[in-house]
Amino acid sequence: MNIRKATINDANGIATVHVESWKTTYQGIVPSSYLAQLRVSEREQNWRRGLQQQKHHIFVAEEDGKVCGFISGGSNRATKGKEADYEGEIYAIYLLKEAQGKGYGTKLLEALVRDFRSDGICSMVVWVLADNPSRQFYERLGGKKIAEEVINIGGKELNEWCYGWRSIECLA
Ligand SMILES: CC(C)(COP(=O)(O)OP(=O)(O)OC[C@H]1O[C@@H](n2cnc3c(N)ncnc32)[C@H](O)[C@@H]1OP(=O)(O)O)[C@@H](O)C(=O)NCCC(=O)NCCS
């Protein structure tokens, strides 16, 4: 397994992982009609734009030369509430089902944190659906629940929790 910065050539690989991982992770949480309409081609266009703009920090994990996971992050998008006191934000972290539980998520997060620190970002947040068991990943890595909100995905109201790290030094 190898972790590296994403390039424009990774747009398809990232989009494929994004869609596949949404389908396995959110089955039974997000409405199935919403999951069924997710298209790699649409996601790929979004990722291609993001990779071209280079505004976000994006890393991929690859196995045998094939993308099996990714992380993206950047400046915290929150403008109010306790969560706005943190500098950085993990926007997304997804691994294919078969790549989970092998430490790749931790390695992706460490790569992002190293980039954050070299940009002077010392704290961060992440939003996660309360029903997603993967939120224990953030707890395991020292994130503390600091806020919650209700969001609507595909016509269903879902609780989303925000985890915060006052200092990301311990994660680097
Ligand atoms: C969440 C995710 C990125 C974690 O990456 P990972 O490679 O599977 O996690 P790691 O192997 O690095 O695990 C690190 C620690 O977190 C714990 N952990 C990870 N996922 C967990 C889960 N679903 N439930 C409980 N604990 C979990 C591990 O047990 C491990 O703890 P340990 O050090 O005591 O053994 C990955 O499982 C994933 O892609 N999940 C599906 C997508 C998702 O939910 N993304 C987050 C959206 S906000």
Side-chain angles (χ1 to χ4, degrees):
M1 193 275 302
N2 179 40
I3 305 274
R4 60 167 173 79
K5 272 213 180 222
T7 73
I8 192 78
N9 298 328
D10 293 312
N12 180 267
I14 294 174
T16 303
V17 171
H18 203 168
V19 168
E20 282 309 307
S21 190
W22 260 69
K23 289 187 178 181
T24 54
T25 303
Y26 299 127
Q27 192 182 19
I29 300 177
V30 167
S32 48
S33 53
Y34 184 88
L35 296 176
Q37 54 82 43
L38 294 174
R39 294 280 174 272
V40 172
S41 54
E42 284 166 24
R43 291 280 164 164
E44 187 177 338
Q45 280 180 23
N46 292 342
W47 281 108
R48 195 174 296 283
R49 252 193 310 275
L51 288 160
Q52 255 156 3
Q53 289 169 348
Q54 295 190 331
K55 276 201 219 148
H56 304 157
H57 303 260
I58 308 171
F59 290 87
V60 292
E62 57 184 4
E63 256 179 347
D64 303 325
K66 196 168 165 280
V67 174
C68 62
F70 69 91
I71 190 167
S72 92
S75 301
N76 186 0
R77 295 168 293 185
T79 53
K80 55 181 171 33
K82 266 185 253 163
E83 60 272 31
D85 294 340
Y86 296 70
E87 297 161 289
E89 178 177 353
I90 301 173
Y91 300 144
I93 175 166
Y94 287 96
L95 292 165
L96 291 176
K97 187 101 190 143
E98 56 271 23
Q100 294 172 20
K102 299 178 181 175
Y104 300 177
T106 304
K107 290 211 156 40
L108 281 167
L109 191 123
E110 285 168 355
L112 178 68
V113 163
R114 276 195 297 275
D115 247 24
F116 273 175
R117 279 162 55 89
S118 60
D119 270 10
I121 294 175
C122 300
S123 57
M124 70 177 186
V125 296
V126 65
W127 287 91
V128 55
L129 291 179
D131 288 338
N132 182 354
S134 293
R135 67 186 170 72
Q136 290 171 53
F137 170 68
Y138 304 119
E139 290 173 11
R140 184 75 190 78
L141 293 171
K144 301 280 178 256
K145 185 186 170 210
I146 54 165
E148 61 179 279
E149 64 176 18
V150 177
I151 58 164
N152 190 303
I153 304 183
K156 186 177 173 190
E157 305 232 299
L158 294 160
N159 289 313
E160 200 176 32
W161 291 6
C162 183
Y163 285 93
W165 288 259
R166 278 268 163 232
S167 167
I168 54 176
E169 206 170 327
C170 56
L171 297 169

